[in-house]
Amino acid sequence: MLVALAANLLIALAKTVGGVAAQSPALLSEAAHSVADSLNEVFLLAALRRSRRPADRRHPFGYGKERFFWSLLAAVGIFVMGGCFSFFQGFGALRNGTGESREGYVAGLIVLGFALLAEGASLLRAVHQVRRQGGRADGGLRDPALRTVVAEDGTAVLGVTLALAGMSLHMATGRIVYEAVASLAIGALLVYVAYRLGRDARDQLIGEAADPEAAARIRSLLRAQPEIDSVEALFTMKTGLDTALVAARVDLVPGLDSEQVEEVADRIKRSIGDTIPEADQIFLDVTDRVAQEAAESPAATGERGGA
């Protein structure tokens, strides 16, 4: 992670120097893109460190949601530093033009060429890791961290390609509009990435349910237990990238004594934990429907009232 951060910072510095030398809005937009990616990696490092803290009295469910908080900050950083700066460069180029030099543009294109090779190699490495881990299920990647890496690398490759196209067309035609459009397109791309990242972080911070497939497996497991008459309610919530809370309310078949109920509850909790490894907090509310209905019947209520 630190090596990737250092490489991103070097790429950002090279793009900045090349953009200033060429006075290229597209290259400066890409420099802002690299700075935003570097900020995202800093936030990810902070999230990884802080989210690993053990649960305590103030946070009995642990600190897993720290990752989502820092992801939200990363989304804000990408929007402000990357997207807004790119829009500023694009509109500024349309309004004022630039005093570009051919020598500066050649240097800028060389910088972008090296950046494209570096970002492309990183994307291929991430895709290879996904394939090696069998990364597709239901149309998406299983590992959220891998999904983020692939998305960031893909966005970086697309951004560099847009900047290359804009600068090349500007050099070939002498029209700044191509670079302005490239800067605006990079800005739109970064705003979209920031929106998606912020939306995911928001959903997880306010209590997103666990994977529907995992919830379905838990429900099937509960219904398969011979002692369970019905599953009245099942709730799940992500408490971290690889942890989740599970709470279920079930009605048991009649005739079980308290010792059997306790044994059944312990067995079911162990089964859920073995089936869904991320379910580290499991709460089970068990009731005997027959006994409950008898206790709530008018006759029983009248007897209690008369007493």
Side-chain angles (χ1 to χ4, degrees):
M1 184 66 70
L2 291 175
V3 174
L5 175 60
N8 258 341
L9 289 173
L10 287 175
I11 292 174
L13 179 61
K15 289 178 180 177
T16 301
V17 173
V20 171
Q23 298 184 28
S24 165
L27 188 49
L28 288 174
S29 296
E30 262 306 293
H33 185 175
S34 293
V35 171
D37 282 348
S38 300
L39 178 67
N40 197 16
E41 291 182 2
V42 170
F43 284 145
L44 181 58
L45 283 171
L48 290 173
R49 179 183 297 271
R50 296 180 64 85
S51 65
R52 289 171 179 167
R53 290 180 294 172
D56 53 35
R57 293 181 62 185
R58 292 191 62 187
H59 299 86
F61 296 111
Y63 290 81
K65 288 195 174 185
E66 283 264 15
R67 296 194 181 194
F68 310 141
F69 169 74
W70 291 101
S71 293
L72 184 61
L73 291 186
V76 174
I78 291 174
F79 175 80
V80 174
M81 290 198 308
C84 292
F85 183 79
S86 296
F87 282 130
F88 172 77
Q89 288 293 319
F91 288 123
L94 288 175
R95 186 174 61 251
N96 303 321
T98 58
E100 70 278 358
S101 65
R102 185 174 184 85
E103 292 78 11
Y105 262 55
V106 171
L109 288 173
I110 293 174
V111 169
L112 285 176
F114 279 115
L116 182 61
L117 291 176
E119 302 289 6
S122 180
L123 176 60
L124 290 175
R125 185 169 60 249
V127 171
H128 174 71
Q129 186 175 356
V130 169
R131 290 178 176 175
R132 187 177 59 190
Q133 296 185 8
R136 290 200 171 272
D138 297 332
L141 298 173
R142 286 195 182 100
D143 187 346
L146 280 179
R147 184 168 61 243
T148 301
V149 169
V150 171
E152 287 183 354
D153 289 342
T155 301
V157 170
L158 183 56
V160 172
T161 302
L162 288 170
L164 275 171
M167 291 182 67
S168 300
L169 289 171
H170 185 188
M171 285 187 65
T173 64
R175 300 182 62 186
I176 188 63
V177 66
Y178 292 108
E179 270 205 80
V181 170
S183 294
L184 294 175
I186 293 171
L189 178 65
L190 293 177
V191 167
Y192 174 73
V193 170
Y195 165 73
R196 289 295 301 270
L197 183 61
R199 187 185 67 176
D200 291 344
R202 178 207 63 187
D203 291 342
Q204 292 161 338
L205 280 173
I206 64 177
E208 184 180 32
D211 182 7
E213 180 183 352
R217 287 159 58 194
I218 294 173
R219 190 177 294 275
S220 297
L221 185 150
L222 292 174
R223 288 175 174 169
Q225 305 302 314
E227 297 87 357
I228 293 180
D229 184 57
S230 65
V231 180
E232 296 299 312
L234 175 63
F235 304 98
T236 64
M237 183 179 69
K238 292 180 180 178
T239 56
L241 284 181
D242 52 2
T243 57
L245 179 149
V246 176
R249 185 168 65 251
V250 299
D251 282 332
L252 300 180
V253 296
L256 299 177
D257 58 32
S258 59
E259 186 173 328
Q260 289 175 313
V261 169
E262 183 177 354
E263 180 183 344
V264 169
D266 289 340
R267 191 189 72 233
I268 292 174
K269 288 181 181 180
R270 289 195 302 270
S271 298
I272 293 175
D274 293 338
T275 304
I276 312 294
E278 61 268 27
D280 63 333
Q281 299 284 345
I282 303 171
F283 300 91
L284 197 61
D285 179 17
V286 295
T287 58
D288 186 330
R289 175 180 291 180
V290 175
Q292 185 177 11
E293 290 177 351
E296 295 175 353
S297 66
T301 305
E303 289 176 3
R304 287 197 300 268

